[in-house]
Amino acid sequence: MHSNMRRTKQEALNKISKLSEEVVGKCRICDGNGFFANENMCSCMQAFREKSLAILARIPDEYLEYDLKSYPGVPMTADEKKRADKIVGFVDNYVKGIKPETAQGILFSGSYGQGKSFLSSYCMRKMMWALYPKYLNNTYCTANELVIAYNQHNKHEARRPIFQIEDFYDGVLCIDDLGKEYMMTWKSAVDTDKKPIGLLLDELFRSRMARKLVTFCTTNFTGTDKKTVWEELADHYGASVAETMKLHMRLVKFSDDFPNWREAVSNKANKEFLEEYRV
């Protein structure tokens, strides 16, 4: 997801205003009030607030269309279903047992299109709701967008960036596509020399871990016969980053022959299969 396809905060607020009319305003259970006379919250208001948090966090719309039951979205063999159920079961247990004060993040590792971004954004949505209203500022971004945000901030560029660097140090954070950055360096405001991205990520992850803030990440690094996923990340970003991530996150690794979620949701033949899971 390229940064020029992202919502600005104003665009997000406009979308939320429209969502309020569609979800709460038309609810027949509470007559469009969102609450009952006894001040209990209607399910429409919870759905509205959950989705509003996701919109403000700039989670892409395509990851908000379906619930967890839609994954991976294709008819499967018994062996494939067993592997899929294992991952879905892990994610389902994770979100149902969320204890924000002790929760670890998750690193989803797998090949392109296997649904890592969808599952990480799903976990993020549930974590945001578990922390609501303590944290209202949450952020979903790609690794490349994170680096761009730092460079724009440090260059004091005139145009307003989509992301402010303060966004990354608050609330729930999801960094998509670690290892696919276009730039491998960034330049701080006080230094003349460019620094490796690893230094940026190391400082960010350590800061978040010290404050017990949950981070979700995805990567196409899947390990090799000789190296683990953590070792590949260490080669790319530095050993300190990999060690911090290992302490901060649990690893969910997809097998190479796992069904392709992206192809499933774009395949017309699967639309009817998926339609019942649309939210």
Side-chain angles (χ1 to χ4, degrees):
M1 178 73 61
H2 299 293
S3 57
N4 63 359
M5 297 172 66
R6 292 293 190 163
R7 311 177 196 95
T8 63
K9 285 195 174 180
Q10 187 56 53
E11 289 170 339
L13 291 173
N14 293 340
K15 190 176 181 70
I16 289 171
S17 177
K18 184 177 180 181
L19 180 70
S20 175
E21 297 174 8
E22 294 174 350
V23 177
V24 180
K26 296 180 180 179
C27 181
R28 295 182 179 180
I29 300 175
C30 65
D31 293 327
N33 294 313
F35 292 87
F36 300 108
N38 60 5
E39 298 186 355
N40 285 340
M41 185 186 298
C42 179
S43 58
C44 72
M45 179 57 74
Q46 178 173 335
F48 165 70
R49 289 185 176 179
E50 279 195 53
K51 193 159 187 178
S52 295
L53 286 171
I55 292 171
L56 283 171
R58 300 181 189 81
I59 295 176
D61 290 338
E62 62 183 300
Y63 303 141
L64 301 179
E65 289 187 35
Y66 302 100
D67 66 15
L68 187 61
K69 293 178 182 178
S70 70
Y71 183 81
V74 288
M76 295 173 286
T77 65
D79 184 54
E80 288 174 335
K81 189 174 187 310
K82 185 177 180 180
R83 280 178 286 150
D85 287 346
K86 187 175 181 180
I87 289 179
V88 171
F90 170 84
V91 171
D92 193 38
N93 289 334
Y94 177 88
V95 298
K96 286 180 178 177
I98 284 177
K99 295 179 180 178
E101 65 279 3
T102 59
Q104 286 182 296
I106 302 175
L107 171 65
F108 290 92
S109 160
S111 301
Y112 172 81
Q114 292 183 320
K116 303 182 299 297
S117 301
F118 167 70
L119 292 176
S120 63
S121 65
Y122 179 82
C123 290
M124 180 185 186
R125 284 156 53 193
K126 297 303 179 183
M127 182 62 73
M128 288 190 299
W129 182 245
L131 289 168
Y132 178 85
K134 182 178 180 181
Y135 293 109
L136 299 177
N137 188 31
N138 309 284
T139 304
Y140 177 106
C141 68
T142 65
N144 195 56
E145 287 169 337
L146 184 146
V147 178
I148 289 173
Y150 267 83
N151 277 302
Q152 287 179 340
H153 173 82
N154 292 321
K155 289 178 181 177
H156 303 289
E157 293 195 3
R159 73 181 186 87
R160 185 180 64 179
I162 295 295
F163 298 102
Q164 306 287 342
I165 62 169
E166 292 82 4
D167 295 342
F168 307 127
Y169 293 86
D170 193 20
V172 185
L173 174 65
C174 181
I175 306 176
D176 203 6
D177 286 336
L178 279 174
K180 293 185 68 177
E181 307 84 5
Y182 298 135
M183 297 179 290
M184 282 304 296
T185 58
W186 66 286
K187 189 175 180 181
S188 73
V190 296
D191 295 314
T192 56
D193 297 327
K194 291 183 177 180
K195 296 182 178 180
I197 289 175
L199 292 178
L200 162 62
L201 289 176
D202 191 38
E203 189 275 332
L204 175 62
F205 287 142
R206 285 177 181 275
S207 173
R208 292 184 59 81
M209 188 168 70
R211 297 172 58 202
K212 297 184 178 180
L213 296 174
V214 179
T215 308
F216 300 103
C217 293
T218 74
T219 183
N220 286 349
F221 289 129
T222 56
T224 64
D225 292 338
K226 297 181 179 180
K227 291 186 178 181
T228 66
V229 175
W230 301 116
E231 288 171 333
E232 280 197 299
L233 287 166
D235 288 346
H236 193 73
Y237 295 116
S240 181
V241 176
E243 284 301 316
T244 304
M245 291 180 68
K246 197 171 182 178
L247 289 171
H248 191 46
M249 303 173 195
R250 300 175 69 176
L251 176 64
V252 173
K253 190 173 180 295
F254 296 74
S255 59
D256 290 338
D257 57 350
F258 198 80
N260 192 298
W261 181 84
R262 188 170 292 280
E263 288 182 3
V265 296
S266 61
N267 189 335
K268 291 182 179 179
N270 293 317
K271 289 296 183 182
E272 186 174 337
F273 177 81
L274 286 167
E275 193 60 35
E276 63 181 291
Y277 302 115
R278 190 180 292 273
V279 295

